[in-house]
């Protein structure tokens, strides 16, 4: 039997792997990252130094973990604007737990992650059950978290004076103990660890599969008998938990919880996700992409700083890069269609 | 028929290794309705996309009114007066009729600064009147019925002084009365000398309004014939080039099997009024009625996709509360939506995920996805339903409509649903695949599945159903056994039995019901 449709099917399948969706955008993003590294290395000999690379990785860690979480919600076709301030609230709650309540460090960590997850749960409930659009629901959560962080901390930073080990969570180096001189801070390990876990959850578990299904066609998924509302709450909660981890990282790095910090981080996180090729309309995206996206952002800021480009201009360049990244993605999609 | 409007000859088109069009010839005269038929993937839409400038031909000639025409883009085609009305309407629902017709060409005043709404509405009204359409130019498009919206599309095309109008499945979403309206409009256009290319899967329509029929298969134009000199059977034979499945008649099956689904007094606003019926094991219950009769609403209510005001549902004799599709699936009910793309499949995901999406729970341990059982289930579906796909890893968007439909059926079989609701299972599916779907439905019923099938095509209802439930305006107007002598006319009578008449003739209905059962 010779049917033309079958011929078309074959064509689609026999496309070289490189041209397939997903893979291509990662290659592109990865290529840009390498290109940036080369350009900055040539432009300044101070760039490709061990200490500078470590600096870049360290500065990626916090926004990176935020971006990992945001990837989940964005793949459902939603958005989470609250990750910046929820991160702050989580940091403050960790501080409150350790410094005010005098709990052990690990309890503090648990409190931090739980705070983030709870905020995600509330956002998810608002989105899934109350049908508030994600943009509005998480905008509200952003303000609630911001306000609560200030209220709980009494608008003053919370210091971890009585817990000297706390700053080691981000800044210590387990690796250096194993390989002397290889002083990669723990924050970087935590970031990569979180990425691996995130990637497994997204590609190998039922939540991940529903995540893509909801993003690709929510109504069809619902009519397939999937309890879409429940899974959406789960997904927003996962995003919240990652946000909580980011909160712990930033508190540990600064050895204090700064209640006024945080706003603006959500946009950087979303930018990293988008540069990494995750579609804001949902259904498509990868954790690897987000990691690369986050790295591109910090390599760019770091490199420009080394080249003494003023801070104001750095922001402009990052903005232009976002334009480019999304445009390239759209071009590619148009070609694929 | 008038002068030659368009002559396309020796058209060749290749896409990345696929020979999509092989030396195709198509011609259109002014004042003619010319049907273009063929299975999905036969090359109809590629051909028309070349005529409208969306694609460029690799080889071949296009002549417009005897002069060679170059169509580098859609604007060039539009300039020549070639317009296409797509299956999905391209109207802005929140704008008015007149605004939609003149979008991009709004009359202005004050040197082009301000919009001239008065003139806009006047011009639109003239056009609408010319087509004898009873549509006010200043109502919102979203307030119109689908049929009326389609008329607006046609009027919009005419406003470009179109001489060639291509209509892609224009009747797909219309009721019979609305189709009549459309045909009248087409007749007017034909009389004014417009050439119309009419793409449709509905053979009966072609016979009514088309002058000539061109059949395409596998990228070739098989033949062009005069409608009055051919038969539907000949056309279908040319389209598929192979034998079609004819169901061993479904009529006269025994009714001893146990009732698996019972609906009592289902109500929802004006859409569903006191609907009750039973569905037995191994039975195909056809649901007939006009568009808007409430059939889809009943199906969605049963499946928990929409809430109901009142009514009881019993599955295997047990009263159940179905609040969401999630509950329905747990009770073993599967639903195949009429709108496959929107509500049925995850087009960006692959075959195996689509097969498994309702059964992910079963395919995971502690929420960890198990790869091989999913793949085995998908291979099973592909094998037993004969899905034509190069592999189970193929994205669903690359499959034809019929094969997508099979994958969705496979989803519910994988979930092991005993009650299957098929809403227009063959809509937008070509004839060859249609007969395969019929065969499949028969086989499923034979295996003991209970099937509720909604269809607007009466021959389909008569061919497959054991019993026929007819609905009109939200009510069940007849529950008929598909026995010898049940005709399309009888069903249509019940389908148009409106409430005022219904009251006086209820006894007649009961009588007819009883007769149907005897």
């Amino acid at each position: 039997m010779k049917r033309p449709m079958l011929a078309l099917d074959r064509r689609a399948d026999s496309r070289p792997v490189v041209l397939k969706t997903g893979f291509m955008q990662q290659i592109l993003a990865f290529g840009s990252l390498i290109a940036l590294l080369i350009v900055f290395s040539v432009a300044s000999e101070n760039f490709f130094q061990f200490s500078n690379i470590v600096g870049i990785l360290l500065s990626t860690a916090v926004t990176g973990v935020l971006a990992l979480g945001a990837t989940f919600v964005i793949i459902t076709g939603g958005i989470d604007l609250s990750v910046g301030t929820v991160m702050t609230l989580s940091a403050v709650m960790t501080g409150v737990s350790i410094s005010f309540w005098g709990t052990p460090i690990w309890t503090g960590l648990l409190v931090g992650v739980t705070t983030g997850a709870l905020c995600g749960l509330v956002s998810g409930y608002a989105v899934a059950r109350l049908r508030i659009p994600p943009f509005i629901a998480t905008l509200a959560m952003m303000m609630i978290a911001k306000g609560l962080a200030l209220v709980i901390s009494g608008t003053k930073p919370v210091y971890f004076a009585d817990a000297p080990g706390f700053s080691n969570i981000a800044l210590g180096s387990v690796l250096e103990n194993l390989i002397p001189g290889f002083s990669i801070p723990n924050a970087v390990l935590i970031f990569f660890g979180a990425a691996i876990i995130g990637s497994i959850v997204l590609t190998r578990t039922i939540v991940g599969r529903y995540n893509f299904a909801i993003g690709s066609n929510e109504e069809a998924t619902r009519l397939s008998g999937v309890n879409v509302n429940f899974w959406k709450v789960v997904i927003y909660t996962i995003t919240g938990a990652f946000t909580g981890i980011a909160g712990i990282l930033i508190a540990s790095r600064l050895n204090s919880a700064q209640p006024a910090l945080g706003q603006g981080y959500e946009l950087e996180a979303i930018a990293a996700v988008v540069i990494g090729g995750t579609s804001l309309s949902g259904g498509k995206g990868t954790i690897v992409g987000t990691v690369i996206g986050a790295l591109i952002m910090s390599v760019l800021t770091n490199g420009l700083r080394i080249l003494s480009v003023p801070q104001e201009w750095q922001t402009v360049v990052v903005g232009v890069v976002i334009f480019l990244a999304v445009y390239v993605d759209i071009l590619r999609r148009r070609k694929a269609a | 028929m008038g002068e030659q409007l368009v002559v396309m000859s020796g058209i060749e088109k290749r896409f990345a290794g696929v020979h999509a069009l092989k030396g195709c010839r198509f011609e259109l005269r002014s004042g003619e309705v010319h049907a273009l038929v063929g299975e999905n993937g036969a090359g109809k839409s590629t051909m028309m996309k070349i005529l409208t400038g969306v694609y460029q031909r690799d080889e071949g000639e296009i002549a417009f009114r005897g002069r060679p025409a170059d169509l580098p883009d859609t604007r060039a085609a539009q300039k020549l007066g070639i317009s296409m009305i797509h299956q999905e309407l391209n109207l802005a629902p929140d704008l008015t009729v007149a605004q939609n017709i003149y979008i991009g060409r709004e009359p202005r005043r004050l040197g082009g600064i301000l919009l001239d709404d008065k003139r806009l509405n006047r011009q639109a009204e003239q056009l609408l009147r010319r087509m004898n359409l009873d549509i006010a130019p200043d109502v919102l498009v979203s307030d119109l019925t689908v049929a009326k919206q389609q008329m607006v599309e046609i009027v919009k095309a005419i406003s470009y002084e179109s001489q060639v109008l291509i209509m892609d499945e224009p009747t797909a979403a219309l009721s019979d009365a609305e189709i009549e309206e459309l045909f009248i409009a087409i007749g007017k256009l034909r009389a004014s000398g417009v050439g119309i290319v009419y793409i449709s899967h509905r053979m009966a329509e072609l016979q009514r309004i088309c002058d000539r029929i061109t059949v395409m298969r596998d990228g070739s134009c098989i033949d062009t014939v005069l409608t009055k000199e051919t038969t539907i059977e000949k056309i279908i034979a040319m389209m598929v080039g192979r034998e079609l499945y004819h169901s061993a008649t479904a009529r006269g099956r025994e009714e001893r099997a146990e009732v698996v689904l019972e609906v009592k007094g289902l109500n929802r606003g004006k859409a569903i009024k006191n609907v009750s019926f039973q569905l037995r094991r191994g039975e195909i219950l056809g649901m007939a009625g006009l568009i808007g009769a409430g059939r889809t609403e009943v199906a969605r209510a049963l499946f928990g996709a929409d809430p109901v005001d009142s009514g009881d549902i019993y599955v295997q004799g047990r009263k159940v509360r179905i609040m969401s599709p999630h509950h329905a699936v747990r009770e073993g009910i599967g639903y195949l939506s009429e709108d496959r793309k929107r509500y049925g499949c995850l087009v960006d995901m692959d075959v195996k995920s689509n097969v498994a999406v309702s059964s992910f729970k079963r395919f995971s341990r502690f929420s960890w996805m198990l790869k091989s059982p999913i793949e085995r289930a998908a291979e099973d579906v592909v094998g037993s339903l004969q899905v034509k796909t190069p592999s189970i890893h193929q994205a669903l968007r690359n499959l034809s409509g019929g094969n997508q439909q099979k994958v969705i059926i496979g989803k519910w079989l994988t979930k092991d649903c005993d009650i299957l609701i098929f809403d227009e299972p063959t809509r937008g599916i070509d004839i060859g695949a249609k007969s395969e779907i019929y065969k499949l439905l028969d086989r499923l019923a034979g295996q003991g599945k209970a099937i509720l099938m909604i269809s607007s095509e009466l021959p389909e209802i008569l061919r497959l159903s054991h019993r026929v439930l007819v609905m009109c305006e939200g009510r069940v107007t007849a529950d008929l056994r598909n026995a010898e002598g049940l005709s399309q006319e009888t069903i249509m009578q019940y389908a148009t039995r409106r409430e005022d008449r219904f009251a006086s003739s209820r006894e007649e209905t009961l009588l007819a019901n009883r007769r149907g059962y005897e």
Side-chain angles (χ1 to χ4, degrees):
Chain A
M1 262 221 298
K2 232 183 77 194
R3 304 267 320 273
M5 229 21 242
L6 191 56
L8 271 171
D9 288 348
R10 279 214 193 93
R11 170 186 66 125
D13 200 47
S14 64
R15 274 182 312 165
V17 183
V18 193
L19 287 178
K20 282 192 184 161
T21 26
F23 201 77
M24 187 63 184
Q25 71 204 28
Q26 276 170 43
I27 293 280
L28 255 171
F30 190 66
S32 328
L33 178 59
I34 300 295
L36 278 179
L37 288 176
I38 292 172
V39 167
F40 286 130
S41 304
V42 171
S44 163
E45 54 187 19
N46 295 327
F47 180 78
F48 209 77
Q49 301 291 328
F50 183 72
S51 59
N52 190 46
I53 297 296
V54 167
I56 290 174
L57 289 174
L58 184 59
S59 68
T60 316
V62 173
T63 40
V65 172
L66 275 188
L68 290 176
T71 309
F72 281 83
V73 163
I74 291 175
I75 290 176
T76 64
I79 193 89
D80 194 342
L81 295 176
S82 71
V83 294
T85 58
V86 168
M87 171 183 81
T88 307
L89 182 61
S90 299
V92 167
M93 284 309 291
T94 306
V96 165
S97 170
I98 294 173
S99 298
F100 294 177
W101 303 339
T103 62
I105 288 180
W106 67 266
T107 317
L109 303 186
L110 212 61
V111 168
V113 176
T114 310
T115 304
L118 274 179
C119 292
L121 185 91
V122 173
S123 297
Y125 187 85
V127 170
R129 289 277 172 188
L130 310 182
R131 313 229 167 265
I132 300 174
F135 191 93
I136 306 298
T138 59
L139 183 72
M141 179 50 74
M142 170 171 111
M143 301 174 85
I144 292 169
K146 182 183 177 182
L148 282 181
L150 290 167
V151 170
I152 292 169
S153 64
T155 72
K156 286 189 288 288
V158 183
Y159 293 99
F160 294 91
D162 305 326
F166 185 71
S167 71
N168 279 336
I169 293 170
L171 298 177
S173 179
V174 178
L175 270 184
E176 197 176 21
N177 293 341
L178 299 171
I179 317 162
F182 199 65
S183 53
I184 306 268
N186 293 339
V188 177
L189 294 189
I190 292 170
F191 170 44
F192 285 116
I196 291 168
I197 291 170
S199 183
I200 289 173
V201 171
L202 200 56
T203 57
R204 295 265 179 270
T205 69
I206 197 162
V207 197
R209 205 55 65 90
Y210 284 148
N211 200 337
F212 281 106
I214 291 169
S216 115
N217 189 341
E218 183 170 334
E219 188 59 13
T221 306
R222 188 172 82 97
L223 292 178
S224 295
V226 175
N227 195 344
V228 167
N229 285 346
F230 170 78
W231 290 107
K232 266 172 130 175
V233 174
V234 171
I235 290 162
Y236 276 86
T237 308
I238 290 176
T239 298
F242 274 93
T243 309
I245 296 174
I248 291 165
L249 283 182
I250 198 164
S252 166
R253 226 185 106 187
L254 303 174
N255 205 13
S256 62
Q258 303 283 343
L261 207 78
Q263 205 158 17
Y265 275 73
E266 67 281 340
L267 298 180
E268 273 184 51
I270 293 167
V273 174
V274 168
I275 291 174
T278 294
S279 162
L280 278 181
S281 49
K284 290 196 183 77
T286 57
I287 290 293
V288 181
T290 297
V291 170
I292 294 171
L295 285 173
I296 286 180
M297 298 251 305
S298 40
V299 164
L300 209 56
T301 12
N302 178 284
L304 292 174
R305 194 181 311 137
I306 283 186
L307 296 184
S308 316
V309 174
Q311 173 126 37
E312 309 83 87
W313 281 104
Q314 294 172 18
T315 321
V316 174
V317 172
V318 172
V320 171
V321 166
I322 293 173
F323 264 131
L324 283 177
V326 176
Y327 181 60
V328 166
D329 189 44
I330 286 169
L331 274 188
R332 191 184 49 76
R333 254 165 239 261
R334 213 179 287 159
K335 230 177 246 171
Chain B
M1 279 188 274
E3 51 157 342
Q4 291 278 18
L5 263 180
V6 175
V7 179
M8 302 171 79
S9 56
I11 303 291
E12 293 274 333
K13 181 72 188 174
R14 283 169 201 277
F15 296 106
V18 177
H19 205 162
L21 292 177
K22 302 164 191 164
C24 279
R25 183 183 170 83
F26 181 79
E27 52 183 65
L28 182 68
R29 290 172 180 276
S30 74
E32 146 180 78
V33 180
H34 193 149
L36 188 59
V37 299
E39 297 190 69
N40 289 344
K44 290 170 303 195
S45 52
T46 311
M47 195 74 178
M48 289 303 113
K49 278 179 178 165
I50 286 174
L51 184 56
T52 49
V54 177
Y55 291 156
Q56 303 310 307
R57 61 189 185 272
D58 294 340
E59 272 166 63
E61 307 293 326
I62 300 178
F64 187 80
R65 289 192 184 280
R67 250 173 284 156
D70 206 23
L71 300 167
D73 52 38
T74 49
R75 292 179 71 133
Q78 207 161 52
K79 245 187 197 159
L80 286 179
I82 302 174
S83 305
M84 179 148 179
I85 295 169
H86 294 270
Q87 224 173 323
E88 296 87 18
L89 298 179
N90 287 316
L91 295 173
D94 297 326
L95 297 186
T96 68
V97 169
Q99 285 166 353
N100 266 288
I101 293 174
Y102 287 104
I103 198 157
R105 302 168 294 157
E106 294 83 357
R108 314 264 182 98
R109 58 200 178 98
L110 264 182
I113 302 170
L114 293 179
L115 292 172
D116 188 348
D117 274 337
K118 248 187 216 155
R119 193 141 64 92
L120 178 84
N121 284 333
R122 210 171 45 233
Q123 286 180 2
E125 194 165 5
Q126 276 167 7
L127 272 178
L128 291 162
R129 203 172 301 149
R130 208 166 85 199
M131 292 294 298
N132 273 10
L133 291 174
D134 182 25
I135 302 174
D138 55 354
V139 298
L140 291 183
V141 162
S142 56
D143 290 340
L144 298 176
T145 61
V146 178
K148 289 264 178 358
Q149 293 182 2
Q150 201 152 29
M151 297 295 175
V152 173
E153 278 264 29
I154 294 174
V155 170
K156 183 175 164 188
I158 296 167
S159 74
Y160 282 97
E161 303 298 327
S162 294
Q163 302 174 42
V164 174
L165 199 55
I166 303 162
M167 305 175 114
D168 188 5
E169 294 273 358
T171 56
L174 304 189
S175 71
D176 285 0
E178 292 168 335
I179 290 174
E180 286 309 315
E181 240 176 278
L182 175 74
F183 284 178
I184 291 169
I186 289 177
K188 280 215 161 55
L189 291 174
R190 167 159 48 186
S192 68
V194 175
I196 295 167
V197 183
Y198 191 90
I199 300 176
S200 178
H201 282 116
R202 297 189 179 177
M203 293 294 141
E205 283 174 11
L206 305 186
Q207 277 199 315
R208 273 204 50 197
I209 62 155
C210 296
D211 302 302
R212 287 192 292 173
I213 300 175
T214 291
V215 182
M216 293 190 72
R217 184 175 80 226
D218 290 352
S220 304
C221 292
I222 304 297
D223 201 2
T224 299
V225 293
L226 286 171
T227 311
K228 53 178 174 242
E229 290 172 3
T230 189
T231 62
I232 292 180
E233 287 72 28
K234 277 186 199 159
I235 297 289
I236 292 175
M238 276 196 272
M239 278 168 63
V240 292
R242 64 174 182 275
E243 275 293 302
L244 282 174
Y245 171 75
H246 286 286
S247 155
T249 174
R251 304 177 170 203
R253 185 179 282 237
E254 293 179 67
E255 292 188 8
R256 267 188 232 132
E258 75 266 31
V259 173
V260 288
L261 177 75
E262 180 162 18
V263 176
K264 280 187 189 166
L266 204 63
N267 276 294
R268 202 194 89 209
K270 282 183 179 171
I272 306 173
K273 295 176 193 156
N274 198 24
V275 166
S276 305
F277 64 90
Q278 296 182 331
L279 179 63
R280 289 166 193 277
R281 196 178 131 81
E283 174 182 60
I284 299 179
L285 176 59
M287 234 184 183
L290 301 176
I291 305 260
R295 295 167 301 161
T296 297
E297 286 76 3
V298 168
R300 285 180 60 95
L302 261 181
F303 191 60
D306 298 323
V308 292
D309 301 335
S310 65
D312 296 326
I313 298 169
Y314 299 82
V315 173
Q316 325 270 16
R318 210 162 26 83
K319 188 173 171 182
V320 293
R321 283 188 76 205
I322 295 176
M323 310 295 289
S324 75
H326 181 57
H327 293 156
V329 171
R330 238 179 4 210
E331 299 296 343
I333 304 176
Y335 172 61
L336 285 88
S337 165
E338 55 179 333
D339 192 338
R340 207 166 41 238
K341 290 227 169 65
R342 259 170 77 196
Y343 302 131
C345 45
L346 309 165
V347 288
D348 290 329
M349 298 183 81
D350 54 14
V351 172
K352 60 177 191 296
S353 300
N354 273 283
V355 165
V357 67
S358 296
S359 326
F360 274 150
K361 282 255 167 73
R362 174 152 65 88
F363 290 130
S364 61
R365 288 284 167 278
F366 309 110
S367 97
W368 186 267
M369 300 300 301
L370 303 171
K371 215 169 155 191
S372 58
I374 292 180
E375 291 183 349
R376 228 176 299 133
E379 293 287 1
D380 253 18
V381 165
V382 169
S384 64
L385 306 189
Q386 293 174 333
V387 180
K388 289 189 194 73
T389 173
S391 87
I392 57 168
H393 311 292
Q394 181 68 275
L396 216 62
R397 68 162 68 256
N398 296 320
L399 269 57
S400 69
N403 284 309
Q404 289 180 350
Q405 190 71 302
K406 287 187 194 170
V407 170
I408 299 166
I409 295 174
K411 167 172 83 183
W412 295 119
L413 298 183
T414 306
K415 179 68 195 168
D416 216 10
C417 288
D418 288 328
I419 302 165
L420 296 170
I421 307 172
F422 287 79
D423 196 348
E424 302 284 358
T426 60
R427 173 174 290 174
I429 287 176
D430 56 60
I431 288 185
K434 244 182 201 175
S435 86
E436 281 185 63
I437 299 276
Y438 293 161
K439 214 189 306 187
L440 189 60
L441 287 178
D442 269 342
R443 209 175 80 203
L444 292 174
Q447 289 166 1
K449 306 275 183 203
I451 294 172
L452 179 64
M453 180 189 72
I454 298 172
S455 173
S456 294
E457 293 183 35
L458 291 178
E460 189 167 288
I461 293 263
L462 287 174
R463 175 192 271 193
L464 286 170
S465 322
H466 304 136
R467 271 193 309 136
V468 182
L469 209 60
V470 190
M471 287 190 69
C472 177
E473 293 179 341
R475 293 163 296 118
V476 172
T477 51
D479 185 340
L480 309 162
R481 206 171 115 203
N482 191 1
E484 214 60 55
L486 179 61
S487 65
Q488 299 194 22
E489 287 71 26
T490 312
I491 295 179
M492 279 314 291
Q493 275 175 15
Y494 288 112
T496 51
R497 177 153 296 188
R498 310 204 181 272
E499 195 135 36
D500 45 338
R501 262 193 292 159
F502 181 69
S504 60
S505 57
R506 179 167 291 148
E507 249 161 55
E508 197 187 309
T509 318
L510 289 173
L511 262 175
N513 276 349
R514 211 167 301 146
R515 231 176 301 147
Y517 274 116
E518 273 156 14

